[in-house]
Amino acid sequence: MAVQSRSLTYEDLDRLRETRDERLELIEGELFVTPAPSLGHQDVSANSYSWLRRAIADSGRGRVYYAPVDVRLAERTIVQPDLVVVLSDRFEILTPARIEGAPSLVIEIVSPSTTAYDRVTKRGVYAKYGVPEYWLVDFEAWTVTVFSDPRDGRYQRETVYDDTAVSATIPGLFIDLADLFAMVTGF
C-alpha cells in the first residue's frame, strides 16, 4: 500500500475507484485494499446471503446486501462488509447509492489474509460507529463470533458459537453452522 500524505474522503475514494479495480475501503481516512475472496469465502457468503434473504428480506423484516456495497459510517470511514442487514426501523439510512449510517447487522467472513483486519480493525470501527451487532464468520474453524452491545467504542458482549449461531439483537435469527458451512470449497 502506498503512503498517504493526507486523510482521504469519500470523494477521494470515488476517484481512486475510477482507476483501480480493487476492493477499496477507508477507515478514518486511511485507504485499505482488500484482496479477492477465496472460493471457500464465496461459498460461505452465498450460504449466508440465502439464509438472511429467507430470514430477513422474505419475511418483510428488512433488507440484505452483499459486497460490494458501501456503508458510509463517517466522512472518512467507508467500508464494504461481506453482508449487511438493515432492518425496517433503520430504512432511513438507505440511499440509492449506498448505506449512510450504522446497519442493524454486519457480517465479515474471515480469510487468512484479512484475519487481523476483520478481528481488530473492523470490529473497532463497527463498535465505534454504533453497529448493534457484528458477526465474524470463520469457516476454517467452523465458528461464528457474535459481538454486540457497542458502548464507548467497544463491543461489551462477545459470544463464540460452534453449533448454532444466535443473534444477540434480532429476535428469532439463528443458523445451524452445519448449514452455514455446507458445501464449502476446501481446497
mmCIF file of all heavy atoms in Angstrom, residues 95 117 129:
data_model
loop_
_atom_site.group_PDB
_atom_site.id
_atom_site.type_symbol
_atom_site.label_atom_id
_atom_site.label_comp_id
_atom_site.label_asym_id
_atom_site.label_seq_id
_atom_site.Cartn_x
_atom_site.Cartn_y
_atom_site.Cartn_z
ATOM 1 N N THR A 95 -29.863 4.819 0.808
ATOM 2 C CA THR A 95 -29.934 5.807 -0.272
ATOM 3 C C THR A 95 -29.768 5.046 -1.576
ATOM 4 O O THR A 95 -29.361 3.877 -1.574
ATOM 5 C CB THR A 95 -28.820 6.871 -0.153
ATOM 6 O OG1 THR A 95 -27.554 6.276 -0.490
ATOM 7 C CG2 THR A 95 -28.754 7.464 1.257
ATOM 8 N N TYR A 117 -7.389 -7.682 10.248
ATOM 9 C CA TYR A 117 -8.209 -6.561 9.792
ATOM 10 C C TYR A 117 -9.656 -6.730 10.250
ATOM 11 O O TYR A 117 -10.258 -5.810 10.797
ATOM 12 C CB TYR A 117 -8.110 -6.487 8.268
ATOM 13 C CG TYR A 117 -8.850 -5.353 7.602
ATOM 14 C CD1 TYR A 117 -8.642 -4.035 7.956
ATOM 15 C CD2 TYR A 117 -9.754 -5.616 6.578
ATOM 16 C CE1 TYR A 117 -9.305 -2.999 7.319
ATOM 17 C CE2 TYR A 117 -10.426 -4.584 5.939
ATOM 18 C CZ TYR A 117 -10.192 -3.282 6.312
ATOM 19 O OH TYR A 117 -10.858 -2.255 5.684
ATOM 20 N N TYR A 129 -18.884 3.222 15.604
ATOM 21 C CA TYR A 129 -19.967 3.888 14.897
ATOM 22 C C TYR A 129 -21.345 3.291 15.195
ATOM 23 O O TYR A 129 -22.323 3.594 14.524
ATOM 24 C CB TYR A 129 -19.676 3.936 13.401
ATOM 25 C CG TYR A 129 -18.540 4.899 13.118
ATOM 26 C CD1 TYR A 129 -17.267 4.437 12.828
ATOM 27 C CD2 TYR A 129 -18.740 6.275 13.194
ATOM 28 C CE1 TYR A 129 -16.223 5.323 12.605
ATOM 29 C CE2 TYR A 129 -17.698 7.165 12.973
ATOM 30 C CZ TYR A 129 -16.446 6.677 12.683
ATOM 31 O OH TYR A 129 -15.408 7.563 12.473
#
